Amino acid sequence: MVTLALDLAANPVELTAALVDVPSVSGNEAALAAAVEHALRSQARHLEVVRSGNAVLARTRFGRPTRVVLAGHLDTVPINNNLPVRRTGAGADLVLHGCGTVDMKAGDAVMLHLAATATEPRHDLTFVFYDCEEVEAARNGLTRIERELSDWLTGDLAVVCEPSNAVVEAGCQGTMRVTVRTNGKRAHTARGWLGVNAIHAAGEVLRRLAEYEPRQVEIDGCQYHEGLQAVCVEGGVAGNVVPDECVVTVNHRFAPDRSPEQAEAHLREVFAGYEVSVVDLAAGALPGLSHQVARDFVRAAGGQPVAKLGWTDVARFAALGLPAVNFGPGDPSLAHTREEHVPAADIRRCAEVLTQFVH
Amino acid sequence: MVTLALDLAANPVELTAALVDVPSVSGNEAALAAAVEHALRSQARHLEVVRSGNAVLARTRFGRPTRVVLAGHLDTVPINNNLPVRRTGAGADLVLHGCGTVDMKAGDAVMLHLAATATEPRHDLTFVFYDCEEVEAARNGLTRIERELSDWLTGDLAVVCEPSNAVVEAGCQGTMRVTVRTNGKRAHTARGWLGVNAIHAAGEVLRRLAEYEPRQVEIDGCQYHEGLQAVCVEGGVAGNVVPDECVVTVNHRFAPDRSPEQAEAHLREVFAGYEVSVVDLAAGALPGLSHQVARDFVRAAGGQPVAKLGWTDVARFAALGLPAVNFGPGDPSLAHTREEHVPAADIRRCAEVLTQFVH
């Protein structure tokens, strides 16, 4: 295998393009991991470098009083006829298009640039480039690192460089799926009055959903917009039978000031009178912006942090006890689309903010 | 194949038991059809007998001014550990239990008894013993007979001997299935407010169903109870997506004073504002009890006719222009149950009523 030579210090925009042109669909990150490892070992000699599967870990050991962990995944969703990288515009308007541009090789490039250039940072720095973020949690490289190399995930602030339009996104909402079940009594539809129609009974469940007013909560200056959405409805026995069961599956997104237990209690209240079962859940993560290092980072990013809407590995770091933020180039709503792209200006800005923050 | 000897003239109750003990699940009626054909040819020499597949047709050709068609299917639903026939009680309280007792070998026995004993009827008589009534309409023996031997289905009154508790059931309701569709706009549930939830929108459809007051209509002295029941609901894209479509399938049972077109127009009114599509329909059948032969039959049965609730081959005869009634021994709600059974008293009564009517 020929290992691509990456120039980490020169230009994070060109570095992004170079990373994009090494395909790395989940499970096939070996070539990219090798290039990253080789570049770090040769161009960032102040770092301790470790390889773990298709993940590459690097850190300073300067004995600084504080440590910042930066994390980015190397894998992408499947290529969709959108490689190699394509450029439009120029200068301040340059945009890179292609698989992985926004999710999240631009963020990886910013991290690699910082790893090579921040040779005397005021915080100790840990860089985590990991594999298999785009697939099930059990395969996620961070799960393995947490199990086998947990001391690499400790520090005072975690910055996950997923796309956030180069704005600090803090914390994330929890998500819970529940089923709400109605019961009835079967009968032949020719004698429908002998039965009780469970689908008709679900009308009241849907009415409560339609009328639900989601909370909007401000925490550490971040606005969280909750949600309660039916994502599935199923009922019916046969074309001539009054159905005796109907199940509505509801997805609740809840602000991180609520624990999963509190969120569940809330749903049981909303759907009082119905059989409610929790199908799956993931806790939210408080923004944690009251910590000094986090405050410094928000100041360096020069703006008001906003709430993270989706659920990312930010929550994983929060669960480990680190204040964790999301900060990276590009628009997150373009992730996983064939048209994903990232503005060069975002890449430059993120690199500048991080450089300023660590010096 | 040994053909069972049936004694048609002796006792319709014992004849029922003998028919029940010849298994005849849909598609496997050959042995029973052979026994019926053989018995008719040897014990009812006044009849013209024709075999069509596993159907047996027999008729008088006395040149009477009126003709009555009696119809019964020979097949049963699958045997469910409920053969051979079992007896409980005795005398007036004798009950026959087992697959096909009520649906509808008791009716077949009454017809066979009449075929053998009514050697000088005042109406010409046609007897149709047919196959595959319990499966899809395309396999139904009557469909084939209608196509190939249509003159066997003409007359002034059709009596279908399906179970009716030995009471005249007249006409039948129409049935129509429609889908009612709601549309919305997909979005990630983390940003649910950017979408429009089609499942929530279906709440109003279910509310209208729950509040619907079905008509009850009297026609020719028969009371028809309409119905409108959701029989299926389906919606959902993925566990984290606001769904953009939801489909409620609704079964409408409508009294025979409404044509299918009128019933459809009614449903479009009930679900105004939604996309309504007709999935399938079968017209109802007016009782047709104003015709003289039908009036005579109702008088012979000695009582008030009642509306047929389900949809049976009565509607098929009505569509051919014959007034058609349902009249047979046993409780129709036991049909297709493992516990099906028929009282001997019902069998005797039906045989007496028919004998009186044709003499």
Side-chain angles (χ1 to χ4, degrees):
Chain A
M1 184 162 65
V2 177
T3 298
L4 178 79
L6 301 167
D7 184 350
L8 304 188
N11 177 343
V13 177
E14 289 312 310
L15 182 55
T16 299
L19 295 175
V20 169
D21 279 344
V22 185
S24 59
V25 176
S26 309
N28 293 287
E29 305 93 336
L32 184 58
V36 166
E37 181 186 3
H38 176 75
L40 287 170
R41 287 196 193 278
S42 57
Q43 298 170 49
R45 296 182 177 272
H46 62 293
L47 299 177
E48 176 193 1
V49 177
V50 161
R51 176 80 178 260
S52 159
N54 285 335
V56 184
L57 313 175
R59 66 181 166 193
T60 61
R61 303 198 78 160
F62 293 136
R64 303 284 195 260
T66 50
R67 176 174 291 277
V68 174
V69 180
L70 296 108
H73 61 83
L74 294 175
D75 62 320
T76 69
V77 294
I79 298 160
N80 190 1
N81 199 23
N82 53 357
L83 278 188
V85 72
R86 198 166 53 80
R87 289 150 206 260
T88 57
D93 297 324
L94 175 64
V95 174
L96 302 182
H97 304 256
C99 183
T101 45
V102 81
D103 189 13
M104 58 169 281
K105 292 184 178 177
D108 293 329
V110 168
M111 287 167 60
L112 285 167
H113 183 72
L114 191 73
T117 55
T119 50
E120 289 181 14
R122 65 190 174 100
H123 310 290
D124 266 312
L125 301 177
T126 302
F127 298 90
V128 181
F129 300 93
Y130 63 105
D131 54 310
C132 287
E133 191 269 349
E134 299 290 8
V135 289
E136 63 270 26
R139 290 176 62 194
N140 187 314
L142 275 186
T143 304
R144 185 182 70 246
I145 293 164
E146 198 177 326
R147 194 172 58 232
E148 297 173 4
L149 297 161
S150 62
D151 65 304
W152 284 80
L153 302 182
T154 59
D156 301 280
L157 174 68
V159 180
V160 176
C161 296
E162 291 261 13
S164 70
N165 288 312
V167 166
V168 180
E169 294 183 333
C172 70
Q173 302 211 106
T175 176
M176 174 176 294
R177 251 178 295 274
V178 300
T179 54
V180 184
R181 193 175 304 265
T182 59
N183 293 298
K185 190 181 153 210
R186 287 192 197 186
H188 197 290
T189 50
R191 296 175 181 81
W193 61 90
L194 299 179
V196 178
N197 194 311
I199 295 178
H200 297 188
E204 168 62 14
V205 174
L206 301 188
R207 189 191 65 73
R208 293 186 196 178
L209 280 164
E211 293 186 357
Y212 184 81
E213 299 260 1
R215 277 198 319 158
Q216 298 200 33
V217 189
E218 192 182 303
I219 307 169
D220 283 355
C222 297
Q223 192 76 18
Y224 291 88
H225 194 151
E226 295 191 333
L228 190 66
Q229 298 282 345
V231 291
C232 185
V233 60
E234 288 177 297
V237 174
N240 59 356
V241 175
V242 176
D244 58 350
E245 187 178 79
C246 184
V247 179
V248 183
T249 306
V250 175
N251 184 206
H252 181 39
R253 301 281 170 149
F254 54 98
D257 63 335
R258 278 192 175 158
S259 68
E261 294 71 28
Q262 288 170 323
E264 182 182 341
H266 174 63
L267 292 192
R268 290 192 184 280
E269 200 173 289
V270 169
F271 299 113
Y274 296 92
E275 195 185 322
V276 174
S277 305
V278 176
V279 177
D280 68 20
L281 75 87
L286 283 165
L289 298 184
S290 54
H291 295 71
Q292 185 59 49
V293 183
R295 279 216 297 267
D296 290 350
F297 180 70
V298 170
R299 191 178 319 116
Q304 181 65 21
V306 301
K308 179 79 191 160
L309 289 169
W311 195 96
T312 70
D313 278 324
V314 164
R316 203 185 267 270
F317 284 103
L320 292 170
L322 278 77
V325 297
N326 192 81
F327 180 73
D331 179 350
S333 68
L334 295 172
H336 303 193
T337 69
R338 185 168 178 270
E339 294 72 29
E340 68 170 302
H341 57 262
V342 65
D346 268 23
I347 301 173
R348 289 188 202 108
R349 173 167 161 72
C350 287
E352 281 160 20
V353 166
L354 283 167
T355 300
Q356 184 192 334
F357 167 60
V358 303
H359 282 104
Chain B
M1 185 161 64
V2 178
T3 298
L4 178 79
L6 301 168
D7 184 352
L8 304 187
N11 176 343
V13 177
E14 289 312 310
L15 183 54
T16 300
L19 295 175
V20 169
D21 280 344
V22 185
S24 58
V25 176
S26 309
N28 293 287
E29 305 93 337
L32 184 58
V36 166
E37 180 186 4
H38 176 75
L40 287 170
R41 289 196 190 278
S42 57
Q43 299 171 49
R45 295 181 178 273
H46 61 294
L47 298 178
E48 174 194 3
V49 177
V50 160
R51 176 81 178 260
S52 159
N54 285 336
V56 183
L57 312 176
R59 65 181 167 193
T60 61
R61 305 198 78 159
F62 293 136
R64 304 284 195 262
T66 49
R67 177 174 290 277
V68 175
V69 181
L70 296 108
H73 61 83
L74 295 175
D75 62 320
T76 69
V77 295
I79 298 160
N80 189 2
N81 198 24
N82 53 357
L83 279 188
V85 74
R86 198 166 53 80
R87 290 151 204 261
T88 57
D93 297 325
L94 175 65
V95 174
L96 302 182
H97 303 257
C99 183
T101 45
V102 82
D103 187 14
M104 58 168 285
K105 293 185 177 176
D108 293 328
V110 169
M111 287 167 59
L112 285 167
H113 183 74
L114 191 73
T117 55
T119 50
E120 290 182 13
R122 64 189 175 102
H123 309 290
D124 267 312
L125 300 178
T126 303
F127 298 90
V128 180
F129 300 93
Y130 62 105
D131 53 311
C132 287
E133 190 270 351
E134 299 290 8
V135 289
E136 62 271 24
R139 289 176 63 194
N140 187 315
L142 276 187
T143 304
R144 183 182 69 247
I145 293 164
E146 198 177 326
R147 194 173 57 231
E148 297 173 4
L149 297 161
S150 59
D151 66 305
W152 284 79
L153 302 182
T154 59
D156 302 279
L157 173 68
V159 180
V160 177
C161 296
E162 291 262 12
S164 70
N165 287 312
V167 166
V168 180
E169 293 183 333
C172 69
Q173 302 212 104
T175 177
M176 176 177 293
R177 252 178 294 275
V178 300
T179 55
V180 184
R181 193 175 302 266
T182 59
N183 293 300
K185 191 180 153 210
R186 287 193 197 185
H188 196 290
T189 50
R191 296 176 182 80
W193 61 89
L194 298 180
V196 177
N197 194 311
I199 294 177
H200 297 188
E204 169 62 14
V205 174
L206 301 187
R207 188 191 66 74
R208 293 187 196 177
L209 282 164
E211 293 186 356
Y212 184 81
E213 299 261 2
R215 277 198 318 157
Q216 297 200 36
V217 188
E218 192 182 303
I219 306 170
D220 282 353
C222 298
Q223 193 76 18
Y224 291 88
H225 194 151
E226 295 192 333
L228 190 66
Q229 297 282 346
V231 292
C232 184
V233 60
E234 287 177 299
V237 175
N240 59 356
V241 175
V242 176
D244 58 350
E245 187 177 81
C246 183
V247 179
V248 183
T249 306
V250 175
N251 184 205
H252 181 39
R253 301 283 170 148
F254 54 98
D257 63 335
R258 278 193 174 157
S259 68
E261 293 70 27
Q262 288 169 323
E264 180 182 340
H266 174 62
L267 292 192
R268 290 193 183 279
E269 200 173 289
V270 169
F271 298 113
Y274 296 93
E275 194 186 323
V276 174
S277 304
V278 176
V279 177
D280 66 22
L281 75 87
L286 283 165
L289 298 184
S290 53
H291 296 72
Q292 186 58 47
V293 184
R295 278 216 297 266
D296 290 350
F297 181 70
V298 170
R299 192 178 317 114
Q304 180 66 21
V306 302
K308 179 79 190 157
L309 288 168
W311 195 95
T312 70
D313 278 323
V314 164
R316 204 184 269 268
F317 285 103
L320 291 171
L322 278 76
V325 297
N326 192 81
F327 180 72
D331 180 349
S333 69
L334 295 171
H336 303 193
T337 69
R338 185 168 177 272
E339 294 72 28
E340 68 169 301
H341 56 262
V342 66
D346 268 23
I347 301 172
R348 292 188 199 106
R349 172 166 163 72
C350 287
E352 282 159 19
V353 166
L354 283 167
T355 298
Q356 183 190 333
F357 168 60
V358 303
H359 283 101

